[in-house]
């Protein structure tokens, strides 16, 4: 079965700095990859997804991620973060259905003024 | 549109008590899901319903039952609560199970003492 590892549990950054949240996956078949964001006391919201095609995927709120098959990674990046980006970010992998989706443990991004 | 709603928002149970978590969606989605979120573990799928009239086990179904009451509503029941079921529970819905975007409710924080 597929699995996901988020390499950093917490990432503190200053406002307007760039950020990268790292995600590695394992699977024996083709995968589909997702990043979700969870703001305090809310449910998860889809940021972006890779299903096929271009390996650079752009999402909402200025985030983007790059699928790297050789390194089995799907890192999330933003060139300049805002205070409002403070949230928990989850990487997820699926082999074809929502019901087989596996989530990482999450990375808490804290943006400081 | 309210999206996905969950009740209650918070609940404290004693070991052995039972309760039902309610979930409803107003997006005419076919598929609905119940997840639990535990610190350091991301989200794990408990049960899902691919369409009205069907339910299936997810990754961690033990100790839970579900009912897809109609297309809008999907409830999760704990028959005899245990401290290991202390968690935050999220309901989600999607148009179908094959990688359509999942929309999440705000969650129910359950504590079992």
């Amino acid at each position: 079965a597929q699995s996901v590892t988020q390499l950093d549990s917490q990432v503190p950054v200053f406002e307007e700095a760039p950020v990268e949240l790292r995600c590695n996956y394992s699977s024996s078949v083709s995968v589909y990859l997702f990043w979700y964001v969870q703001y305090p006391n809310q449910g998860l919201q889809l940021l972006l997804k890779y299903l096929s095609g271009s390996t650079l995927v752009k999402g909402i709120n200025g985030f983007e991620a790059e699928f790297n098959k050789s390194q089995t990674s799907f890192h999330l990046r933003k060139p300049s973060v805002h205070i409002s980006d403070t949230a928990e970010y989850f990487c997820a992998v699926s082999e074809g259905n929502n019901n087989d989706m596996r989530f990482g443990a999450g990375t808490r991004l804290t943006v400081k003024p | 549109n309210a999206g996905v709603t969950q009740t209650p928002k918070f609940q404290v149970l004693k070991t052995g008590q039972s309760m039902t978590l309610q979930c409803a969606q107003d997006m005419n989605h076919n598929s609905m899901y119940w997840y639990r979120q535990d610190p350091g573990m991301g989200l794990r799928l408990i049960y899902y319903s691919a369409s009205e009239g069907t339910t299936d086990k997810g990754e961690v179904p033990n100790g839970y039952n579900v009912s897809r009451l109609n297309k809008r509503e999907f409830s999760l029941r704990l028959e005899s609560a245990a401290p290991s079921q202390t968690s935050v529970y999220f309901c989600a819905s999607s148009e179908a199970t094959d990688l359509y975007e999942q929309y999440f409710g705000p969650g129910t924080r359950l504590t079992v003492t």
Side-chain angles (χ1 to χ4, degrees):
Chain A
Q2 69 277 33
S3 65
V4 177
T5 302
Q6 290 184 242
L7 297 161
D8 307 292
S9 59
Q10 297 188 63
V11 174
V13 295
F14 287 104
E15 194 173 17
E16 297 183 9
V19 71
E20 178 180 79
L21 306 184
R22 297 180 294 165
C23 172
N24 284 94
Y25 69 91
S26 68
S27 174
S28 57
V29 299
S30 295
V31 295
Y32 307 91
L33 295 152
F34 305 80
W35 276 99
Y36 283 85
V37 60
Q38 184 179 31
Y39 298 106
N41 300 313
Q42 293 186 28
L44 276 69
Q45 178 183 355
L46 183 66
L47 260 184
L48 49 79
K49 61 186 176 186
Y50 170 78
L51 300 182
S52 65
S54 172
T55 57
L56 183 62
V57 181
K58 293 191 185 299
I60 62 172
N61 300 340
F63 284 92
E64 64 180 32
E66 185 155 22
F67 171 53
N68 188 320
K69 189 174 182 180
S70 62
Q71 297 191 11
T72 61
S73 68
F74 191 54
H75 301 333
L76 180 71
R77 301 185 183 99
K78 187 169 182 177
S80 175
V81 294
H82 303 290
I83 299 284
S84 59
D85 292 323
T86 294
E88 187 134 21
Y89 293 79
F90 292 93
C91 182
V93 62
S94 169
E95 293 179 349
N97 287 288
N98 284 337
N99 46 285
D100 72 12
M101 192 171 293
R102 294 292 183 266
F103 289 81
T107 297
R108 184 171 299 277
L109 174 65
T110 302
V111 182
K112 300 181 281 189
Chain B
N1 283 355
V4 179
T5 57
Q6 293 183 235
T7 55
K9 285 188 169 32
F10 301 94
Q11 184 71 48
V12 178
L13 291 178
K14 293 188 189 311
T15 297
Q17 288 185 317
S18 62
M19 79 161 296
T20 300
L21 281 64
Q22 306 286 356
C23 172
Q25 51 92 9
D26 63 2
M27 295 172 283
N28 202 35
H29 284 166
N30 291 301
S31 303
M32 298 184 73
Y33 313 82
W34 276 106
Y35 291 91
R36 60 178 289 171
Q37 183 181 30
D38 301 296
M41 298 189 73
L43 273 72
R44 291 180 293 168
L45 184 64
I46 304 170
Y47 271 93
Y48 69 99
S49 170
S51 60
E52 187 179 355
T54 69
T55 60
D56 282 290
K57 295 178 181 179
E59 190 182 353
V60 289
N62 291 347
Y64 305 95
N65 285 302
V66 290
S67 296
R68 183 76 182 266
L69 305 169
N70 49 54
K71 193 171 185 180
R72 288 188 63 248
E73 298 172 287
F74 188 39
S75 63
L76 178 73
R77 183 159 178 83
L78 287 69
E79 290 290 352
S80 179
S84 61
Q85 294 178 304
T86 293
S87 188
V88 181
Y89 291 85
F90 288 99
C91 178
S93 71
S94 66
E95 193 170 327
T97 58
D98 37 345
L99 300 181
Y100 285 91
E101 181 175 349
Q102 294 185 70
Y103 294 82
F104 286 81
T108 295
R109 187 172 294 273
L110 175 67
T111 302
V112 183
T113 60

